[in-house]
Amino acid sequence: MKTIEKISIREKISYGFGDFASSTFWTLFSMFLLYFYTDVFGITAAAAGTMFLVARFWDTTNDPIMGMICDRTTSRWGKFRPYLLFGALPFTVIGILTFTTPDLGPSGKLIYAYVTYTLMMMVYTAVNVPYASLLGVMTKNSVERTSLASFRFIGGFCAGLMVTSSANYLVEYFKTTGDLASSYQKTVAIYAIIAGVFFVLTFLGTKERLDPEEVKSSTFKADLGDLFKNKPWFIMLGASIAVLIFNSLRGGAILYYFKYFIGDQNVAYFGEVSHGTLSAVYMSSGFATSLIGVVMAIPVSNRIGKKNTFILSGLVCGILSIMFFFLPPTQIELIFIINIFIGIFSAMAFPLIWAMYGDVSDYSELKTGRRATGLIFSSSSMSQKLGWTIGGAISGWILAAFGFIANEIQTDESVLGIRLMISIFAAIGVLISIAIMYFYPLTEKFMSEKVSVQLENARSK
């Protein structure tokens, strides 16, 4: 049996660079894009919500297709790494175009938004699905996989922290020499170039180790048939979508919440602080403390199991989100404290999701006799897209339903909609994820006593 090579710290950091690149735009999409479309670009919240639904549903279907294409890719660089190299430049260019405001009428702007956003989601898929799948072929060792996943999410949360702590300041800086639209374009251009460079660094610093003969050939139809018979995969898909809806609703509401509900505040020891600064600190504090959740995930799941840790994470986030609704705008300290704890506990779920998809992949191999790494891991990307899709669409529709009008003094009803979006409605999403996760069967005992032993015997033959 072939000895598994231990992954160096340098390679783990290189792998983490990839999620730094992806999460730079994940943060822009989840926390800034809806606000950009309504308050900068100039389309209605309802139109933006519908666009998210249409464009993302189309893009979601590309994830499993991309996964199967990767599984069948043969190159001197491997199956997955080439897409990081050749996708970096398109990712950078289209990322900038997505946050560019053309001088067009309402219909022209809407068409431009549909085209650029759809292209952005497609190129995101073409890079992110191979990146996610790369984890499955760098090593078979479960301890090393968990370590790689931790480095991945450290990179991702660091990217989120970078964006949330600097975006508003960069926008304000560039406004001194131009309008708000051009300042958003220049700000995103900086992030897009950084993301492209970090994708290339991931390509250069990682290695695929899975033997080519271990990936048996099969048809697209057979792969999809195997996937649709995989009950744990459906459970993970549903739970992941629901938890992403929770994050999408909360993230998408933050700028509206501070601009239209919190406003400028007189904060102890700091004096008068603008709503833009408060929202930046709010987002950044959530990302910074999320790193604690990522670190906590491994020891807690080792003690009570991944499934139970996921459920614990969701319960805490759901309860705190409901409490959040009842906070008045003057309780800045409590608003930040609750956000910090939500950040910690919500972050615990993300490394677990990837580790559990690894278990689903092993379970699929045991049942089918074939390894479809790209297809299985692409389903996680698909769940992210669906969570974005549903959460983003719901966010736009909630704003429209409660009478939101951009850059105007909001009615009590529209402010209520914003408050519900960041609290009660978000809590419903995470509580649904708990209900779905209750039925997840691949516990540590099941994996060790049934799946792992049988797989090892099958591989040794």
Side-chain angles (χ1 to χ4, degrees):
M1 186 175 178
K2 191 174 180 178
T3 302
I4 302 300
E5 182 180 347
K6 188 173 177 62
I7 308 298
S8 68
I9 294 296
R10 179 179 178 180
E11 187 171 359
K12 290 175 182 178
I13 293 173
S14 296
Y15 184 70
F17 283 164
D19 207 50
F20 187 97
S22 293
S23 292
T24 296
F25 269 82
W26 172 276
T27 306
L28 288 169
F29 294 151
S30 59
M31 294 187 170
F32 291 89
L33 189 58
L34 178 60
Y35 178 85
F36 168 77
Y37 278 136
T38 59
D39 286 41
V40 181
F41 191 85
I43 59 178
T44 66
T50 301
M51 183 191 70
F52 287 155
L53 186 68
V54 174
R56 286 178 182 171
F57 261 129
W58 154 249
D59 178 63
T60 297
T61 63
N62 297 327
D63 286 72
I65 296 173
M66 189 66 206
M68 289 186 286
I69 290 173
C70 289
D71 282 331
R72 289 159 175 80
T73 297
T74 301
S75 79
R76 61 184 174 131
W77 299 298
K79 292 181 174 295
F80 305 111
R81 291 172 60 244
Y83 295 97
L84 302 177
L85 176 64
F86 296 109
L89 182 59
F91 189 99
T92 299
V93 173
I94 298 174
I96 297 171
L97 292 176
T98 302
F99 282 86
T100 297
T101 303
D103 185 16
L104 300 170
S107 298
K109 280 188 174 182
L110 190 59
I111 293 171
Y112 179 89
Y114 266 89
V115 172
T116 53
Y117 184 69
T118 300
L119 288 174
M120 186 65 222
M121 289 295 96
M122 291 177 69
V123 75
Y124 187 94
T125 295
V127 178
N128 196 251
V129 167
Y131 169 72
S133 305
L134 181 60
L135 175 64
V137 295
M138 290 176 69
T139 177
K140 288 181 183 177
N141 186 283
S142 61
V143 175
E144 289 292 274
R145 280 184 179 177
T146 303
S147 181
L148 281 167
S150 296
F151 273 85
R152 170 182 182 167
F153 282 97
I154 289 172
F157 284 119
C158 284
L161 181 59
M162 175 193 72
V163 173
T164 57
S165 63
S166 62
N168 285 339
Y169 296 105
L170 286 173
V171 168
E172 290 299 317
Y173 172 78
F174 287 122
K175 274 177 65 178
T176 60
T177 57
D179 58 14
L180 184 60
S182 66
S183 64
Y184 260 87
Q185 182 192 50
K186 293 172 183 175
T187 297
V188 172
I190 293 173
Y191 297 139
I193 292 170
I194 292 173
V197 170
F198 271 65
F199 277 132
V200 174
L201 291 176
T202 301
F203 165 81
L204 294 173
T206 57
K207 181 180 179 181
E208 296 185 25
R209 294 176 176 83
L210 186 63
D211 293 333
E213 62 268 19
E214 293 178 357
V215 183
K216 298 181 180 180
S217 61
S218 62
T219 64
F220 283 3
K221 182 179 179 180
D223 282 353
L224 288 174
D226 294 338
L227 191 66
F228 292 145
K229 295 174 185 176
N230 192 326
K231 178 183 175 182
W233 176 79
F234 274 107
I235 293 172
M236 283 304 304
L237 181 66
S240 299
I241 290 171
V243 81
L244 261 298
I245 291 174
F246 163 76
N247 281 282
S248 180
L249 288 173
R250 288 193 76 251
I254 290 172
L255 293 178
Y256 298 104
Y257 183 79
F258 280 90
K259 181 176 180 178
Y260 298 110
F261 179 63
I262 300 298
D264 299 340
Q265 291 277 340
N266 195 303
V267 181
Y269 307 111
F270 295 98
E272 190 73 14
V273 181
S274 70
H275 66 84
T277 299
L278 287 172
S279 64
V281 176
Y282 178 91
M283 290 186 285
S284 299
S285 63
F287 273 106
T289 52
S290 292
L291 294 171
I292 300 174
V294 172
V295 174
M296 286 175 55
I298 296 175
V300 174
S301 63
N302 286 342
R303 180 173 290 273
I304 67 174
K306 294 190 287 289
K307 173 181 175 179
N308 290 333
T309 304
F310 185 99
I311 290 174
L312 172 65
S313 165
L315 279 174
V316 173
C317 289
I319 292 170
L320 290 177
S321 294
I322 293 171
M323 292 172 57
F324 197 88
F325 174 77
F326 298 98
L327 296 177
T330 54
Q331 291 292 329
I332 292 296
E333 293 83 1
L334 276 177
I335 288 171
F336 274 77
I337 289 171
I338 289 180
N339 178 59
I340 286 170
F341 279 99
I342 290 176
I344 292 172
F345 280 90
S346 65
M348 289 173 61
F350 290 105
L352 300 178
I353 288 173
W354 286 99
M356 293 163 91
Y357 268 113
D359 293 340
V360 171
S361 181
D362 288 342
Y363 177 81
S364 176
E365 182 182 356
L366 176 65
K367 292 297 183 181
T368 66
R370 294 190 298 272
R371 188 169 187 85
T373 307
L375 178 59
I376 294 293
F377 276 84
S378 70
S379 63
S380 181
S381 177
M382 183 174 71
S383 70
Q384 289 180 328
K385 299 284 185 62
L386 283 171
W388 272 352
T389 298
I390 300 170
I394 291 174
S395 297
W397 295 338
I398 288 173
L399 292 174
F402 282 84
F404 171 81
I405 301 176
N407 298 311
E408 299 286 346
I409 297 176
Q410 302 302 312
T411 64
D412 291 342
E413 183 181 12
S414 62
V415 172
L416 174 62
I418 294 169
R419 292 174 58 211
L420 287 170
M421 188 164 72
I422 202 172
S423 57
I424 304 295
F425 294 156
I428 292 172
V430 77
L431 294 176
I432 290 173
S433 75
I434 294 172
I436 297 172
M437 183 56 67
Y438 177 80
F439 298 98
Y440 181 74
L442 303 184
T443 62
E444 280 71 14
K445 182 178 180 181
F446 182 89
M447 291 298 298
S448 62
E449 293 182 359
K450 296 185 178 181
V451 177
S452 297
V453 173
Q454 294 180 46
L455 264 183
E456 199 62 39
N457 291 336
R459 288 168 178 169
S460 61
K461 291 180 180 179

